[in-house]
mmCIF file of all heavy atoms in Angstrom:
data_model
loop_
_atom_site.group_PDB
_atom_site.id
_atom_site.type_symbol
_atom_site.label_atom_id
_atom_site.label_comp_id
_atom_site.label_asym_id
_atom_site.label_seq_id
_atom_site.Cartn_x
_atom_site.Cartn_y
_atom_site.Cartn_z
ATOM 1 N N GLY T 237 -17.723 22.568 -31.873
ATOM 2 C CA GLY T 237 -17.582 23.959 -32.256
ATOM 3 C C GLY T 237 -16.962 24.774 -31.143
ATOM 4 O O GLY T 237 -17.196 24.526 -29.956
ATOM 5 N N GLY T 238 -16.182 25.768 -31.512
ATOM 6 C CA GLY T 238 -15.529 26.590 -30.503
ATOM 7 C C GLY T 238 -16.479 27.446 -29.695
ATOM 8 O O GLY T 238 -16.127 27.907 -28.600
ATOM 9 N N ASP T 239 -17.693 27.671 -30.196
ATOM 10 C CA ASP T 239 -18.646 28.545 -29.511
ATOM 11 C C ASP T 239 -19.757 27.777 -28.804
ATOM 12 O O ASP T 239 -20.794 28.348 -28.479
ATOM 13 C CB ASP T 239 -19.264 29.524 -30.517
ATOM 14 C CG ASP T 239 -18.271 30.572 -30.987
ATOM 15 O OD1 ASP T 239 -17.183 30.671 -30.386
ATOM 16 O OD2 ASP T 239 -18.578 31.293 -31.955
ATOM 17 N N GLU T 240 -19.558 26.511 -28.535
ATOM 18 C CA GLU T 240 -20.620 25.686 -27.952
ATOM 19 C C GLU T 240 -20.615 25.719 -26.423
ATOM 20 O O GLU T 240 -19.561 25.582 -25.795
ATOM 21 C CB GLU T 240 -20.440 24.230 -28.385
ATOM 22 C CG GLU T 240 -20.573 24.008 -29.871
ATOM 23 C CD GLU T 240 -20.922 22.571 -30.184
ATOM 24 O OE1 GLU T 240 -21.814 22.015 -29.507
ATOM 25 O OE2 GLU T 240 -20.317 22.022 -31.106
ATOM 26 N N VAL T 241 -21.814 25.803 -25.844
ATOM 27 C CA VAL T 241 -21.900 25.654 -24.393
ATOM 28 C C VAL T 241 -21.575 24.226 -23.975
ATOM 29 O O VAL T 241 -21.212 23.985 -22.816
ATOM 30 C CB VAL T 241 -23.295 26.057 -23.855
ATOM 31 C CG1 VAL T 241 -23.571 27.524 -24.113
ATOM 32 C CG2 VAL T 241 -24.395 25.185 -24.412
ATOM 33 N N LEU T 242 -21.667 23.286 -24.892
ATOM 34 C CA LEU T 242 -21.356 21.887 -24.581
ATOM 35 C C LEU T 242 -19.887 21.542 -24.804
ATOM 36 O O LEU T 242 -19.524 20.360 -24.738
ATOM 37 C CB LEU T 242 -22.226 20.955 -25.431
ATOM 38 C CG LEU T 242 -23.726 20.992 -25.153
ATOM 39 C CD1 LEU T 242 -24.467 20.063 -26.099
ATOM 40 C CD2 LEU T 242 -24.028 20.634 -23.708
ATOM 41 N N PHE T 243 -19.054 22.530 -25.015
ATOM 42 C CA PHE T 243 -17.639 22.264 -25.278
ATOM 43 C C PHE T 243 -17.014 21.406 -24.177
ATOM 44 O O PHE T 243 -16.234 20.490 -24.456
ATOM 45 C CB PHE T 243 -16.870 23.578 -25.412
ATOM 46 C CG PHE T 243 -15.402 23.393 -25.651
ATOM 47 C CD1 PHE T 243 -14.909 23.188 -26.932
ATOM 48 C CD2 PHE T 243 -14.501 23.400 -24.589
ATOM 49 C CE1 PHE T 243 -13.553 23.000 -27.157
ATOM 50 C CE2 PHE T 243 -13.147 23.216 -24.803
ATOM 51 C CZ PHE T 243 -12.672 23.012 -26.095
ATOM 52 N N SER T 244 -17.359 21.665 -22.931
ATOM 53 C CA SER T 244 -16.750 20.918 -21.824
ATOM 54 C C SER T 244 -17.115 19.443 -21.865
ATOM 55 O O SER T 244 -16.322 18.596 -21.432
ATOM 56 C CB SER T 244 -17.173 21.512 -20.477
ATOM 57 O OG SER T 244 -16.619 22.791 -20.287
ATOM 58 N N ASP T 245 -18.299 19.104 -22.359
ATOM 59 C CA ASP T 245 -18.659 17.697 -22.490
ATOM 60 C C ASP T 245 -17.681 17.001 -23.432
ATOM 61 O O ASP T 245 -17.185 15.899 -23.149
ATOM 62 C CB ASP T 245 -20.083 17.552 -23.030
ATOM 63 C CG ASP T 245 -21.150 17.867 -21.999
ATOM 64 O OD1 ASP T 245 -20.859 18.633 -21.056
ATOM 65 O OD2 ASP T 245 -22.276 17.351 -22.136
ATOM 66 N N ALA T 246 -17.405 17.641 -24.566
ATOM 67 C CA ALA T 246 -16.476 17.062 -25.541
ATOM 68 C C ALA T 246 -15.069 16.946 -24.970
ATOM 69 O O ALA T 246 -14.406 15.909 -25.104
ATOM 70 C CB ALA T 246 -16.463 17.923 -26.805
ATOM 71 N N ALA T 247 -14.603 18.006 -24.305
ATOM 72 C CA ALA T 247 -13.235 18.014 -23.783
ATOM 73 C C ALA T 247 -13.051 16.995 -22.668
ATOM 74 O O ALA T 247 -12.021 16.314 -22.588
ATOM 75 C CB ALA T 247 -12.878 19.416 -23.293
ATOM 76 N N ARG T 248 -14.048 16.848 -21.819
ATOM 77 C CA ARG T 248 -13.928 15.876 -20.721
ATOM 78 C C ARG T 248 -13.993 14.437 -21.242
ATOM 79 O O ARG T 248 -13.329 13.551 -20.694
ATOM 80 C CB ARG T 248 -15.005 16.131 -19.672
ATOM 81 C CG ARG T 248 -14.759 17.397 -18.849
ATOM 82 C CD ARG T 248 -15.835 17.599 -17.803
ATOM 83 N NE ARG T 248 -17.121 17.932 -18.406
ATOM 84 C CZ ARG T 248 -18.271 17.965 -17.730
ATOM 85 N NH1 ARG T 248 -18.291 17.659 -16.431
ATOM 86 N NH2 ARG T 248 -19.389 18.298 -18.336
ATOM 87 N N ALA T 249 -14.784 14.224 -22.301
ATOM 88 C CA ALA T 249 -14.797 12.890 -22.901
ATOM 89 C C ALA T 249 -13.428 12.554 -23.483
ATOM 90 O O ALA T 249 -12.933 11.431 -23.339
ATOM 91 C CB ALA T 249 -15.872 12.812 -23.982
ATOM 92 N N ARG T 250 -12.822 13.524 -24.159
ATOM 93 C CA ARG T 250 -11.458 13.316 -24.664
ATOM 94 C C ARG T 250 -10.513 12.933 -23.538
ATOM 95 O O ARG T 250 -9.748 11.961 -23.666
ATOM 96 C CB ARG T 250 -10.962 14.591 -25.345
ATOM 97 C CG ARG T 250 -9.481 14.561 -25.733
ATOM 98 C CD ARG T 250 -8.910 15.972 -25.835
ATOM 99 N NE ARG T 250 -9.069 16.708 -24.583
ATOM 100 C CZ ARG T 250 -9.023 18.041 -24.503
ATOM 101 N NH1 ARG T 250 -8.841 18.780 -25.577
ATOM 102 N NH2 ARG T 250 -9.164 18.635 -23.320
ATOM 103 N N ASP T 251 -10.566 13.660 -22.441
ATOM 104 C CA ASP T 251 -9.656 13.386 -21.325
ATOM 105 C C ASP T 251 -9.880 11.978 -20.770
ATOM 106 O O ASP T 251 -8.916 11.270 -20.449
ATOM 107 C CB ASP T 251 -9.866 14.417 -20.216
ATOM 108 C CG ASP T 251 -9.458 15.825 -20.629
ATOM 109 O OD1 ASP T 251 -8.757 15.966 -21.657
ATOM 110 O OD2 ASP T 251 -9.859 16.780 -19.935
#
Side-chain angles (χ1 to χ4, degrees):
D239 289 349
E240 296 202 45
V241 297
L242 294 178
F243 179 85
S244 292
D245 285 25
R248 288 181 291 170
R250 172 204 58 200
D251 294 345

